[in-house]
Amino acid sequence: MEIFVLTLPGAVERQASIERQMKALGLPFRFFYGVYGKDISPEQKARVFDADKSRRAIGYEMSANEIACAYGHCLIYREIAERGIPEAVVIEDDAVLHGDLPRAIEAIESKRLTAPLLVKLEKEKEFKRNRWRRMPLFDDYVAYRPIQGVYLTTIYYLTLEAARRLSRDAFPVYVPSDFFAYTCRRVELLNVNKSLALQDALERQGIHTRVK
């Protein structure tokens, strides 16, 4: 299982934090460098962003930072597809990781999944689940199909076929990276019932067994 940590060239403190957590969990990973919104030239923006489709989909034109974030995730999808990586986990560099993450990755990996599937490993605050579609992981961790929109791209798992479809369906960028209702129309989306990571900004809400 390849693990990508999406970061930016100058995000030294975030990189140090996530590297410390990953080492404590014994998880090999590599940094994947995205781009700053301010560094996207008008010419590059015209290549990577579909303004008309964006306005039709969400009613406004995305900010430079939203475009850059979504583009970074798309670049990871493209690398997975081009290299033929069977399955991967994507983590944003501000994640606060849970100590059970290695067990979750091992549980998913043991299933040898090949269908176009994306599993969000961070529980939504207001998460409504479809109990008829569930994928047990381990202990009381279960991934369910959500019956309402889910957001946040802090941490997720995806298969090669999901990456192939997302690299086509989500590019050129037209919605923020976490608008899964748009980008995952040809990819099955599941969401865990207990968070295996949180955004650092949400840490105040608490996470069981934080990695020190």
Side-chain angles (χ1 to χ4, degrees):
M1 178 91 67
E2 188 149 350
I3 302 176
F4 295 86
V5 172
L6 180 59
T7 188
L8 292 168
V12 179
E13 290 185 5
R14 287 187 175 194
Q15 291 166 16
S17 173
I18 196 71
E19 183 172 18
R20 181 170 59 252
Q21 294 178 75
M22 296 293 279
K23 285 184 176 178
L25 293 173
L27 293 173
F29 75 99
R30 75 178 183 89
F31 286 119
F32 189 97
Y33 294 93
V35 296
Y36 287 98
K38 63 182 177 62
D39 293 336
I40 297 179
S41 67
E43 294 76 20
Q44 185 180 20
K45 180 179 177 181
R47 291 195 305 271
V48 306
F49 176 60
D50 189 330
D52 291 337
K53 188 175 182 180
S54 179
R55 283 190 290 269
R56 291 196 302 271
I58 59 177
Y60 69 93
E61 185 168 323
M62 293 162 57
S63 70
N65 287 340
E66 285 178 315
I67 294 169
C69 180
Y71 182 46
H73 284 273
C74 285
L75 290 175
I76 293 178
Y77 304 151
R78 184 180 299 174
E79 173 153 338
I80 294 170
E82 290 178 348
R83 290 176 50 200
I85 299 171
E87 49 191 350
V89 170
V90 179
I91 305 174
E92 293 182 339
D93 62 2
D94 62 343
V96 178
L97 305 179
H98 186 287
D100 281 341
L101 181 58
R103 293 184 66 193
I105 291 176
E106 182 180 359
I108 295 174
E109 198 169 18
S110 70
K111 296 180 182 297
R112 302 185 182 278
L113 302 166
T114 58
L117 175 68
L118 186 149
V119 183
K120 271 179 41 61
L121 299 177
E122 178 179 4
K123 179 188 174 184
E124 294 287 333
K125 185 177 180 181
E126 301 295 337
F127 175 48
K128 295 181 180 179
R129 66 197 70 172
N130 180 345
R131 294 184 179 276
W132 296 107
R133 175 61 173 107
R134 61 196 303 273
M135 183 175 73
L137 299 178
F138 67 97
D139 294 346
D140 57 347
Y141 283 90
V142 180
Y144 292 91
R145 179 182 294 164
I147 57 175
Q148 65 178 25
V150 292
Y151 301 90
L152 301 178
T153 50
T154 308
I155 180 169
Y156 56 92
Y157 158 92
L158 74 166
T159 62
L160 171 59
E161 186 55 34
R164 285 172 174 160
R165 297 187 182 194
L166 286 166
S167 65
R168 296 191 295 266
D169 297 348
F171 187 83
V173 168
Y174 70 101
V175 292
S177 59
D178 58 359
F179 276 40
F180 293 110
Y182 293 91
T183 57
C184 285
R185 287 173 176 167
R186 297 196 304 132
V187 172
E188 182 176 16
L189 176 65
L190 300 181
N191 199 164
V192 292
N193 62 329
K194 294 171 62 177
S195 286
L196 289 152
L198 289 178
Q199 283 182 322
D200 189 51
L202 301 179
E203 185 183 349
R204 62 185 179 276
Q205 297 179 9
I207 182 169
H208 38 286
T209 322
R210 177 186 174 178
V211 177
K212 302 296 185 181

